[in-house]
Amino acid sequence: MADTNRGVVYQAPGEVTVEDLDFPKLELAEQDGRKLQHGAILKVLATNICGSDQHMVRGRTTAPAGLTLGHEITGEVIETGRDVEFIKEGDLVSVPFNIACGRCRNCKERHTGVCENVNRERPGAAYGYVDMGGWHGGQARYAVVPYADFNLLKFPGDRDTVMAKLPDLAMLSDIFPTGYHGAYTAGVTTGSTVYVAGAGPVGLACATACLLLGAAVVIVGDMNEQRLAQARGFGCETIDLSQHGDVGEQIEQILGVPEVDASVDCVGFEARGQGHEGAQKEQPATVLNTLMEVTRAAGGIGIPGLYVTGDPGAADENARVGQLGLRIGTGWAKSEYFVTGQCPVMSYNRQLMMAILYDRVQIAKNVNATVIPLEEAPEGYAEFDRGAARKYILDPHGALADAA
Ligand SMILES: NC(=O)c1ccc[n+]([C@@H]2O[C@H](COP(=O)([O-])OP(=O)(O)OC[C@H]3O[C@@H](n4cnc5c(N)ncnc54)[C@H](O)[C@@H]3O)[C@@H](O)[C@H]2O)c1
Ligand SMILES: [Zn+2]
Ligand SMILES: [Zn+2]
């Protein structure tokens, strides 16, 4: 094999390193040598760091040391297995972070986030993620993608156009579809008023999606002023939760009423309390309780923010097994509905790709996409953990640096 592989490896809480890795094979040792003749090997051209990776790197999951990280992969196909018919060497592609077989009941019904054939322990799998089937991470120079014909989204058009838009297209593997899914399933449409909790990359992608869907007002809440400034930069209203605990009151100042039509949780289980008293303490149910309160009766709540079934770093016994203090009566009394789980990326990535290619949306700019070399991944993780208002894209072959 011509080139060697290197990638990002989780070592211990707060520590990732870049290591030499085996070159990917069309076979998965972690699933008893499962053959992947339906798979493709990619040269990775862009691979992003995600808030979901941070849960593992902060020691808030049962991720084992030695796990290769990375589920947001964009690349060029360099080899295909015997059973791949339509994807070809040289194709430039986006990889949905969910691994899906295309053959089970859930895949056939478009629930590709809970495929039944790719993880022995439970439905649903992802690259480089704890409890997600043992698939290798894609924050690397090379990666393997199973069921290539089904999973890969091929970019149309000439190579130069694709390369020029690669920082935007790189967001199709996860956060843009994820943010869109949160908004769409919450019922956001033309003229909606929306509250988005969290101004990390997923929250900013969700706010972008709300505007693309035609929302009248998008209000983003966080306690990170830099990230809120980023949201204001493309037309959102913001609430600084380090100053204001009562989200309804703040919404009323903006809209004249204390409720929105729809809301989206882009925070997840590491949520911190809101307002002066709680802002630094973790309160895993606070976002969900706030959203039930500030969403109008019969409104929808999208929950892309991640919730776990086991959290070794939780503050109390209940949270350690993922049991939270939900005031579900609030939501019940208002007939609210919610949608949660992994985003089925494939349901949205093609449409969002077209919106990017035809300049209907500027997702890289809105999330402040920032390209760094693969070897600087440890610094990227550390800065992202400190709350940088950036979405880091690793550039394993210098292809993005060359294009820019
Ligand atoms: N469902 C999916 O398919 C999917 C996909 C990608 C990411 N995720 C999850 O989405 C979440 C966000 O991802 P990210 O990359 O933006 O992470 P991130 O950690 O960068 O952002 C989370 C933001 O929430 C803010 N926050 C904390 N407490 C808050 C509160 N009470 N109210 C409002 N904001 C609060 C933080 O300050 C931070 O800016 C994570 O839980 C991630 O695992 C889910
Ligand atoms: Zn992700
Ligand atoms: Zn399936």
Side-chain angles (χ1 to χ4, degrees), residues 50-63:
C50 181
S52 298
D53 300 322
Q54 294 288 4
H55 299 308
M56 292 189 283
V57 174
R58 290 191 192 114
R60 298 299 298 271
T61 69
T62 49

Side-chain angles (χ1 to χ4, degrees), residues 357-376:
L357 290 175
Y358 287 88
D359 294 321
R360 297 291 160 195
V361 68
Q362 292 200 292
I363 184 66
K365 179 167 171 274
N366 290 4
V367 302
N368 197 15
T370 303
V371 176
I372 60 173
L374 176 68
E375 299 297 325
E376 286 173 24

Side-chain angles (χ1 to χ4, degrees), residues 28-333:
L28 187 65
E30 288 74 1
Q31 290 189 15
D32 302 330
R34 180 175 182 171
K35 296 281 179 270
L36 308 177
Q37 288 298 345
H38 42 65
I41 293 175
L42 304 193
K43 175 179 174 181
V44 178
L45 298 179
T47 174
N48 323 322
I49 300 175
C50 181
S52 298
D53 300 322
Q54 294 288 4
H55 299 308
M56 292 189 283
V57 174
R58 290 191 192 114
R60 298 299 298 271
T61 69
T62 49
L67 183 74
T68 57
L69 300 177
H71 57 270
E72 303 193 6
I73 308 166
T74 310
E76 175 178 353
V77 176
I78 57 166
E79 186 184 333
T80 55
R82 186 193 62 208
D83 300 339
V84 177
E85 280 194 86
F86 306 110
I87 287 288
K88 300 288 179 216
E89 271 177 42
D91 285 351
L92 297 177
V93 294
S94 176
V95 186
F97 78 84
N98 334 98
I99 299 170
C101 74
R103 303 167 186 198
C104 71
R105 173 180 170 182
N106 285 346
C107 283
K108 286 177 182 173
E109 294 176 1
R110 278 291 204 165
H111 302 297
T112 51
V114 280
C115 171
E116 294 172 335
N117 291 331
V118 283
N119 182 350
R120 300 230 166 99
E121 310 300 321
R122 54 163 98 165
Y127 306 89
Y129 213 86
V130 59
D131 294 334
M132 285 286 130
W135 302 89
H136 297 182
Q139 284 167 9
R141 289 171 63 79
Y142 297 93
V144 61
V145 174
Y147 303 103
D149 280 325
F150 185 65
N151 282 306
L152 293 175
L153 174 68
K154 183 185 165 184
F155 300 134
D158 65 279
R159 195 182 175 94
D160 290 347
T161 310
V162 170
M163 288 311 292
K165 295 232 185 244
L166 208 60
D168 294 273
L169 296 169
M171 301 306 150
L172 293 172
S173 57
D174 183 349
I175 65 164
F176 198 15
T178 294
Y180 190 94
H181 176 65
Y184 185 78
T185 57
V188 175
T189 182
T190 310
S192 296
T193 57
V194 194
Y195 175 62
V196 177
V202 172
L204 295 172
C206 180
T208 302
C210 290
L211 294 170
L212 192 60
L213 285 161
V217 186
V218 181
I219 305 169
V220 180
D222 202 303
M223 41 284 282
N224 178 325
E225 177 41 40
Q226 261 191 320
R227 290 182 165 188
L228 292 175
Q230 188 65 29
R232 283 192 296 276
F234 60 94
C236 301
E237 302 282 341
T238 57
I239 300 174
D240 182 348
L241 298 169
S242 69
Q243 303 301 316
H244 305 285
D246 191 329
V247 175
E249 226 167 63
Q250 295 303 305
I251 289 175
E252 187 163 22
Q253 300 230 340
I254 297 165
L255 296 178
V257 289
E259 289 181 333
V260 287
D261 295 333
S263 63
V264 189
D265 173 355
C266 299
V267 181
F269 73 104
E270 290 190 67
R272 278 170 294 142
Q274 299 155 177
H276 292 295
E277 83 288 0
Q280 292 324 314
K281 231 179 106 226
E282 217 171 87
Q283 293 184 17
T286 188
V287 173
L288 296 172
N289 286 332
T290 299
L291 298 195
M292 286 191 273
E293 220 173 273
V294 304
T295 303
R296 70 187 298 275
I301 301 175
I303 313 179
L306 187 136
Y307 290 86
V308 288
T309 50
D311 173 4
D316 64 72
E317 278 310 309
N318 283 336
R320 220 157 284 165
V321 292
Q323 195 162 304
L324 310 185
L326 276 192
R327 291 192 60 222
I328 193 71
T330 306
W332 194 94

